Amino acid sequence: MALVTLSTPSTLDLPPGFRTVALRESGDAFAHACRTAGEEGAGTLVWVRRFDMAEFAVVLEPAEPLAEARKAFFMGMAATADAIASLCPPERSVGIAFPDTIRFDGGLVGGGRLGWPKRCGEEEVPDWLVFSACVRVSFAGLMEPGKVPNATALDEEGFEGVGPAMLVEAFARFLMRFVDIWENEGPDRVLKDYVKRLDKERPGDSLALSGAGDLVVTPAAGGFGRTVSLLDGLKAVAWLDRDAGGPRL
């Protein structure tokens, strides 16, 4: 079933605490949320009414300095991955290439971004954060199946009847769950949910997050480990094709 034929609802069914802003198909959820975050405030969820992508952004208002608050990115990524997993066929894997690329059964399907005020220092509390994600729901006739083996779309993977709005709604529910866990139990449980989805270059590698949110890779065979910078990865946005405005092919 080609999801491009599904109708896009004008509203979303979201948990209490969210306020939605819908953009036209040519809109940019991340840019709009970053531009208006100071006025709109926490809980604002911006989404683009596209048929081929689930593109959305949510405004957060942290209480910690930026260096610590940035870890909220992992919460957004975990919520996005869990939303996909909750709607996918059984026995299929949703993985994350650190820090921001989402893969479904090994194919690049989307990713996440994090925005914050440009002039906010690492030890300052940011007025806002924006977590944004984009997940490819359909190739929308642009590609034939199998032509881009390193990329995929949900409707190529058996997500029967799952449209972009359903994915955004599922994300919101998982995000609220993770926010509640984070506030009442601390971040460890949420961070573990993120880490368990991380792809490994070698099966025996041990993966962990440092206090700064960097990825620490320890090889099973011993020897020196390595550290991968979270901040460098967030700036690179390796999964995004900026010209096309969506995940890379």
Side-chain angles (χ1 to χ4, degrees):
M1 177 178 182
L3 296 187
V4 72
T5 63
L6 295 177
S7 61
T8 302
S10 58
T11 60
L12 297 174
D13 181 13
L14 301 180
F18 286 98
R19 188 182 75 82
T20 59
V21 175
L23 303 181
R24 293 181 180 272
E25 187 172 342
S26 60
D28 184 325
F30 179 73
H32 182 91
C34 289
R35 186 170 58 249
T36 62
E39 295 78 33
E40 299 288 1
T44 301
L45 190 147
V46 181
W47 66 298
V48 181
R49 295 188 63 214
R50 298 178 63 166
F51 294 97
D52 58 337
M53 304 279 181
E55 182 184 347
F56 55 91
V58 63
V59 178
L60 309 172
E61 290 183 358
E64 304 84 10
L66 178 58
E68 182 68 21
R70 193 177 283 120
K71 295 178 186 177
F73 175 75
F74 300 128
M75 179 169 60
M77 287 293 291
T80 305
D82 281 10
I84 297 171
S86 72
L87 298 170
C88 78
E91 307 300 325
R92 308 294 291 277
S93 63
V94 182
I96 297 173
F98 184 86
D100 59 354
T101 300
I102 300 174
R103 298 185 180 278
F104 187 81
D105 264 8
L108 194 157
V109 74
R113 304 177 72 178
L114 190 72
W116 58 87
K118 291 182 179 179
R119 296 184 180 180
C120 182
E122 291 292 296
E123 302 306 318
E124 297 179 291
V125 177
D127 292 333
W128 51 265
L129 293 175
V130 166
F131 174 80
S132 178
C134 186
V135 178
R136 183 164 37 225
V137 173
S138 172
F139 285 121
L142 297 177
M143 293 288 171
E144 295 181 19
K147 291 294 185 181
V148 281
N150 295 323
T152 193
L154 299 189
D155 70 350
E156 300 288 337
E157 301 290 347
F159 284 73
E160 292 289 342
V162 176
M166 293 178 64
L167 187 58
V168 179
E169 291 167 351
F171 162 81
R173 292 192 294 271
F174 279 105
L175 183 66
M176 289 299 291
R177 173 174 171 265
F178 285 144
V179 167
D180 183 67
I181 293 171
W182 193 291
E183 291 180 346
N184 291 287
E185 302 179 23
D188 288 353
R189 184 173 158 192
V190 179
L191 297 182
K192 287 179 180 177
D193 195 274
Y194 170 85
V195 171
K196 77 180 182 181
R197 292 194 182 278
L198 287 177
D199 296 335
K200 297 180 179 181
E201 291 184 4
R202 294 176 296 271
D205 287 348
S206 176
L207 306 181
L209 296 175
S210 72
D214 299 329
L215 178 66
V216 180
V217 183
T218 304
F224 293 103
R226 62 188 180 91
T227 300
V228 185
S229 169
L230 168 63
L231 188 55
D232 288 350
L234 292 179
K235 290 178 178 179
V237 199
W239 61 270
L240 178 64
D241 182 334
R242 296 180 186 273
D243 293 331
R248 291 183 183 276
L249 294 174

